[in-house]
Amino acid sequence: MSEHTLNPKAEAATYLKTLIALLILTAITVGASYIHFGSGAANVVVALTIATIKATLVALFFMHLLHDKPVNALIAAAGFVFLGLFLMFTLLDFDTRENPLPRNLPGMVTTPPPAATSPAPAPAPEHH
């Protein structure tokens, strides 16, 4: 645990400022979801950038990494780096796909439906 000594009023003010910043960033995230930034990947990058800023604020102030040992901040930063690497590889794979839509979505498939055929004759009744 950290050994920082702040008075409770200053700490409450810090939490309130962090809360307001997180609420503003949430409103920006919602607003950005209605804006098309050129491609789906650009929209994801914008959303993930805002989410990273919010996660950093939470880690610094609510998890007390700002006043903790530097090795804990290094571990948290390494987590962000690996998350970014994994997401980058996922986006690279997704961009190489020709048609990423599932085949079972009705009306979304670009291939024409099969030609209509005459219905199969009804089976003959069985005699006992």
Side-chain angles (χ1 to χ4, degrees), residues 27-48:
I28 291 171
T29 303
V30 171
S33 70
Y34 292 104
I35 299 172
H36 185 65
F37 291 103
S39 70
N43 289 1
V44 170
V45 168
V46 169
L48 286 176

Side-chain angles (χ1 to χ4, degrees), residues 6-92:
L6 294 175
N7 63 25
K9 289 184 181 180
E11 197 167 347
T14 301
Y15 289 152
L16 182 64
K17 290 175 188 174
T18 306
L19 172 68
I20 292 170
L22 290 171
L23 290 173
I24 290 171
L25 286 168
T26 300
I28 291 171
T29 303
V30 171
S33 70
Y34 292 104
I35 299 172
H36 185 65
F37 291 103
S39 70
N43 289 1
V44 170
V45 168
V46 169
L48 286 176
T49 301
I50 297 170
T52 302
I53 293 169
K54 292 192 301 187
T56 302
L57 286 174
V58 168
L60 286 175
F61 295 106
F62 292 122
M63 295 172 61
H64 302 285
L65 286 181
L66 187 63
H67 304 290
D68 216 355
K69 296 178 184 176
V71 70
N72 293 337
L74 182 66
I75 292 169
F80 281 126
V81 168
F82 281 110
L83 176 66
L85 282 172
F86 295 147
L87 288 173
M88 180 189 68
F89 286 128
T90 302
L91 284 174
L92 287 173

Side-chain angles (χ1 to χ4, degrees), residues 71-125:
V71 70
N72 293 337
L74 182 66
I75 292 169
F80 281 126
V81 168
F82 281 110
L83 176 66
L85 282 172
F86 295 147
L87 288 173
M88 180 189 68
F89 286 128
T90 302
L91 284 174
L92 287 173
D93 177 56
F94 186 76
D95 284 342
T96 61
R97 311 253 174 168
E98 290 182 22
N99 187 8
L101 297 175
R103 297 176 195 243
N104 60 351
L105 282 179
M108 299 295 285
V109 180
T110 58
T111 59
T117 60
S118 60

